[in-house]
Amino acid sequence: MAVEKLRCKECGTEYPLEALYVCERCFGPLEAVYDHSGHGDPEELRRRIQAGRADLWRYADFLPLEGPPPGPGNRTFPLAGLPVGYTPLVRAERLGEQLGLRNVYVKNDTANPTHSFKDRVVAIASARARELGFKALACASTGNLGNAVAAQAAAIGLPSYVFIPADLEEQKVIATGIYGTNLVEVRGTYDDVNRLCTEVSAEHDDWAFVNINMRPYYAEGSKTVAFEIAEQLDWTLPDRLIIPIASGSLFTKIARGFEEWRELGLVEGAPPVLNGAQASGCAPVANAYAAGLDFCQPVKPDTIAKSLAIGNPADGPYVLDLARRSGGSVEAVSDDEIREGIVLLAQTTGIFTETAGGVSTAVLAKLARSGEIDPDERVVLVITGDGLKTLDAVRESIARRAIEPTVDAFEASFAFGAVA
Ligand SMILES: *Cc1c(COP(=O)(O)O)cnc(C)c1O
Ligand SMILES: [Zn+2]
């Protein structure tokens, strides 16, 4: 396997491939580093990828495991866990028409086992945790990560501990508890939950906290979104992506995925423009972008986009840098715009997204309407979670009326107009 070591993103100090996540010298974040010299030419590498598994392990050469991926052929870990990734890239003609754009695509990551992109990061973190011999999976979650950890733990037979803010959407809480996880509901914000988990992880050193002590491995899972998009566009790069931001990890790793493939000659051309998407009720990165700052000032979240409600985003400064260098931006949209985004996406593509996807869709609409996007650009809207997880957000957005079971009542009801 090609992964070599961990390296500090700030000062470059190198570390072995262990459960480490902060640099001892400068407290910078650690990142996986690869040696791709043994791959052969791009054509050969493309063929190998195309012959691979129909899940994210087809990109194993770019993922931080030392042995083969879990599953058939892996004698140490024959249980593959849930098949993750390989989600559709859908051409969204009707959405594009509404916005005056000719080439809009939706990366539909609701089509994962627990209906969000978090299954990707958990697949990688849990596989690496097994390689390192951890006895339990754990996480600090804004909801979707908890779903993914609880389900993956059930599939591979490890105990799990999921820490969430106590005010999460009921759908997400039930869809996590059902897997038999130890659910810890904390009275506080996500940032409080995260701090608690950092303390708990120091006490329980045989637990893999997927987004804390496993973070360098976890984060690599998000690169597979970029790899899939490039492969689905027939080994080309899109012109622009709209990406929702919580901690900023997905955003930075999508950028890294494209960069890694450009460096190897797997894809050619200019790197895509990257637009980050946040809710104005929790927009530390968008605020910093608008103010021209290169760091984020923490905020206290207040938004219906709970999966994005991280007030102190770890990767904020990297997002700001990447967004600016790509010619993109980081935008914020209101809760009403988020609801309109959910409705717009549903009614033009048939894809029902949770609030985070409403944020991305609303940002796409805002940029398109302001003339920021050339009508011919190939734009990918990254939809990261399923609408069934956040029903409360759109309860008022549909018209409902019950009728008596007679044809007259039916006809009369339609005279009012069936569609709100
Ligand atoms: C976690 C999450 C994100 C963003 O995650 P990052 O922390 O920025 O990597 C986006 N959408 C959904 C639905 C999420 O659950
Ligand atoms: Zn360092």
Side-chain angles (χ1 to χ4, degrees), residues 1-5 33-37 39 60-63 65-66:
M1 291 290 145
V3 68
E4 248 191 337
K5 58 199 165 201
V33 178
Y34 299 79
D35 174 6
H36 288 312
S37 58
H39 282 328
D61 287 329
F62 305 90
L63 295 170
L65 294 193
E66 288 185 284

Side-chain angles (χ1 to χ4, degrees), residues 116-118 142 144 244-250 307-308 310 354 356 384-385:
S116 89
F117 98 92
K118 290 297 199 305
T142 57
N144 287 318
I245 296 170
S247 72
S249 177
L250 173 65
S307 55
L308 303 182
I310 296 185
E354 71 142 76
T384 46

Side-chain angles (χ1 to χ4, degrees), residues 239-252:
D239 297 307
R240 180 188 297 270
L241 295 100
I242 318 287
I243 306 166
I245 296 170
S247 72
S249 177
L250 173 65
F251 186 101
T252 54

Side-chain angles (χ1 to χ4, degrees), residues 329-341:
S329 64
V330 186
E331 310 284 337
V333 288
S334 69
D335 283 0
D336 281 341
E337 290 173 296
I338 295 169
R339 289 189 193 93
E340 287 163 20

